[in-house]
Amino acid sequence: MPLVRISLLRGQSRPYRAAIVEGIYQALRENFNVPDEDRFMVLTEHDADELVFSRSYMDIERSDGFVLIQLTISNTRNQAQKNALFASIVDKLGRDPGVRPQDVMISLVEGDKGNWSFGHGLAQYVSA
C-alpha cells in the first residue's frame, strides 16, 4: 500500500535507479509486511537547481549522491517498525547500489486506510 516517491540528481544509470527501487521495495516487504505486487513507486531525477537540499543540516554531510525518499503509508505502524524500515532501507541501498548512509533521507506521510483507492473508484481497504 505504500506510495513511494524517490528523488535524486540526474545522471545515474538505469541499474543504479533500479537497485534503489528494489532495495526500498524489499525493505518494505520485510519490515512493513507489504504484500507481493504491492509496488507503486515514482523515481524522479532532477537537475541541481530542482532538488535543493542542505549539505550539512544536523551535522550530516550530504553529497551529490543524495536520495530523498517519501513514503505515503497508512497510519498502522509503530515507531519501532518505522525505525526498522529506516535502517533496512539505508542498509540495502548501501549494499546496492552503494548509496552512503548520510545521503539517504526518508520521510513518512501517514493517513487513514480510507484514503486509498487502487482502482474502480473504490476505497478497497474499507469497502464492504
Side-chain angles (χ1 to χ4, degrees), residues 72-124:
T72 303
I73 62 171
S74 293
N75 56 355
T76 58
R77 275 78 176 208
N78 62 41
Q79 192 61 51
Q81 291 171 299
K82 295 172 192 178
N83 292 348
L85 177 70
F86 297 157
S88 181
I89 289 173
V90 167
D91 178 63
K92 289 180 184 313
L93 298 188
R95 284 189 272 132
D96 185 20
V99 180
R100 298 169 52 237
Q102 304 92 317
D103 286 328
V104 180
M105 180 176 171
I106 305 166
S107 171
L108 297 181
V109 179
E110 296 179 301
D112 294 327
K113 284 185 151 193
N115 292 348
W116 295 89
S117 174
F118 291 89
H120 300 290
L122 302 173
Q124 283 84 356

Side-chain angles (χ1 to χ4, degrees), residues 21-31 39 88 92:
V21 168
E22 185 62 23
I24 295 169
Y25 178 65
Q26 290 306 320
L28 285 165
R29 299 254 307 141
E30 293 168 12
N31 295 279
R39 184 189 299 232
S88 181
K92 289 180 184 313

